[in-house]
Amino acid sequence: MFVDRARIYVRSGKGGDGHVSFRREKYVPAGGPDGGDGGRGGDVIFQVDEGLNTLVDYRNSRKYKAGDGERGDKKNCRGKDGDDIILKVPQGTVIKEASSGKVITDMSGENKKVVLLKGGRGGNGNQHYATSTMQAPKYAQPGQPAQELELELELKVIADVGLVGFPNVGKSTFLARVTNAKPKIANYHFTTLNPNLGVVDLDGTGGFVIADIPGLIEGASEGVGLGYEFLRHIERTKVIIHIVDAAGTEGRDPIADIYAINRELENYNPAIARRPQVIAANKIDAIFDREHSPVEEIKREFEPKGIPVYPISAVSGEGVRDLLYHVSNQLQELGEQVSVYEQEYFPEQHTASDGEETLSVTYDKEADEYVVEGSKVEKMLGYTNLDSEKGFAFFQNFLKTSGILGQLEALGIQDGDTVRIYGLSFDYYK
């Protein structure tokens, strides 16, 4: 099954907490701190798998979590790092932040592997906080929290050349003739549902990738019919082959059809409409009046506009070779660079950076406690000996100068209420 869109939730691993412990060995009555550090949380990694061409694996399984780091242990034992999670996607997958639709990364070109979310750092054990004045620190650092995101995965087919045209004009037949692709071909009035890719091999050239992309109907740029499902797959192509039923076998006007499809391209993305285009006037084997050939009318209409017209028969192969060499020459002039979407959303900007100090003061109604958290207070606890009179006075001054007391009073704290700062609890008195 071909699936080109998926919405998933990803979460990196939380860092393991540091450990508080002290040496308790024979003949070492007052051993120093030996709490180990927590392990690093696992990363969320996206990687291109050349063997994939669909996002079907993400259709039913929608939540992906990296492993959490383990907490540290006594005897300076460091916690085990959490396992990374590697998510494999087809080349051409664009990864977006779901709510904003902004691009995080485009798995195209040289971008084969990317760490999307980093795991949290493990917290320091209490061994790191021993000083000459505080030789028995009773505090360890918590691990950094995990990061999480809702993602929109969108596969935009990577092909050098895209075939466009109304349903039933012969695109699938053309692709089957010129490449190794084997699309389903029938006289259906609905359209091909899946993009079919094939490689064109031409003598004296390096060949190119061509895609028969789902057929257009009028209103596609507004989401009618397959709409966006078609148009997203043509965004990367460098050259467009516009296939039209020149014989008008179903009573359609080929010139009107060409203008109609070009309007859809222009409405969806003007940059696509400006790409080099060549018209393949197909089904000439069904034109019986060559003196008044509609191909000549198509040439008179579009060649003055700089759009070459090649009469072909996808069934017999007549004219196809000349068309392919023209397209190959255009591609050589354009070069080999793949169209890659630029990053618009930066996950690291939506989480506190290593150097950014955070502080939060809240009221826990269920526990009937006021809770103070954040890296700013963590750091203070790490180098303050609360068992000493001097250290406790320093702690009280910190609460005042950092604005914590003011925030507690704003929340309505009263004498005798409990304040919890990580593993420590205090009674508040003004």
Side-chain angles (χ1 to χ4, degrees), residues 66-84:
D68 292 336
E70 292 184 357
R71 63 173 297 171
D73 208 343
K74 56 188 176 182
K75 296 185 178 178
N76 299 326
C77 288
R78 186 178 184 276
K80 182 182 176 183
D81 290 342
D83 292 331
D84 297 336

Side-chain angles (χ1 to χ4, degrees), residues 397-415:
N397 186 59
F398 167 81
L399 295 178
K400 183 177 181 180
T401 57
S402 64
I404 293 174
L405 288 182
Q407 292 186 56
L408 289 169
E409 289 169 3
L411 289 173
I413 195 169
Q414 301 294 321
D415 283 354

Side-chain angles (χ1 to χ4, degrees), residues 48 91 106-114 158 336 338 340:
V48 169
Q91 187 175 16
D106 182 354
M107 306 300 291
S108 306
E110 299 300 316
N111 193 27
K112 305 290 186 185
K113 188 173 182 180
V114 63
I158 295 181
E336 298 182 359
V338 176
V340 178

